[in-house]
Amino acid sequence: MERIIRYSRKDWSHCECGDREEPLSTFLYDLPILTACNVFPPLHILNVLLLRGWVGGSMSPRFSWQPFEIFEQEYQEVLPKLLYPDWAALSNKLWRIRALMKLDSEFDRVSDRDTWMALVGKKHARTSVK
């Protein structure tokens, strides 16, 4: 059974802000700056963000939640829902339209989230323009 996450979207005029409870996969699709060029992060990079307990603000709503981490089994269970989402179920729950997530294991050994984001962004921004 998929974990339910309680979180809040705040301080942005273009979304339905407030407290929310959604399955982990919906929560992850809802978060801004989770991916780099729609590449979903490896578990250790994902957990850096989840343990922070907040993200966003400025150009997106500010999201906050009780910090948590997930483990390998839960990561593997949620991946299919992220890579092959039910768009009909997600369409009225997200604050903005998302592109389909994908994986790229080339940078899975990078330990720093900012470095991972930069390297993945550099590779996929270059390949998506061709």
Side-chain angles (χ1 to χ4, degrees):
M1 176 145 195
E2 191 172 356
R3 180 193 309 218
I4 301 298
I5 307 299
R6 291 185 177 106
Y7 64 103
S8 180
R9 288 192 300 216
K10 296 181 182 170
D11 303 328
W12 204 61
S13 62
H14 302 294
C15 79
E16 188 178 308
C17 292
D19 295 334
R20 305 179 63 78
E21 289 186 20
E22 298 290 350
L24 176 61
S25 58
T26 301
F27 166 73
L28 293 172
Y29 252 102
D30 206 16
L31 289 180
I33 67 165
L34 171 67
T35 65
C37 295
N38 300 315
V39 175
F40 189 70
L43 177 59
H44 65 284
I45 299 295
L46 174 62
N47 277 332
V48 168
L49 181 65
L50 296 178
L51 287 166
R52 190 163 123 187
W54 68 272
V55 70
S58 185
M59 298 296 287
S60 65
R62 180 177 171 88
F63 286 70
S64 59
W65 60 90
Q66 188 70 26
F68 69 98
E69 65 183 319
I70 65 173
F71 297 95
E72 185 66 33
Q73 181 178 344
E74 190 172 19
Y75 181 83
Q76 292 302 324
E77 288 171 1
V78 80
L79 272 179
K81 294 177 182 179
L82 298 171
L83 301 175
Y84 310 101
D86 178 353
W87 289 117
L90 283 175
S91 65
N92 63 348
K93 296 182 180 221
L94 306 180
W95 68 276
R96 46 81 173 107
I97 297 170
R98 286 292 297 252
L100 187 63
M101 291 187 198
K102 57 191 172 192
L103 297 176
D104 183 344
S105 61
E106 181 178 346
F107 305 106
D108 282 2
R109 293 182 188 253
V110 174
S111 61
D112 176 73
R113 183 174 184 272
D114 291 334
T115 303
W116 180 86
M117 297 281 285
L119 291 171
V120 171
K122 183 177 179 181
K123 174 185 175 182
H124 287 273
R126 182 178 64 242
T127 60
S128 64
V129 175
K130 292 180 182 180

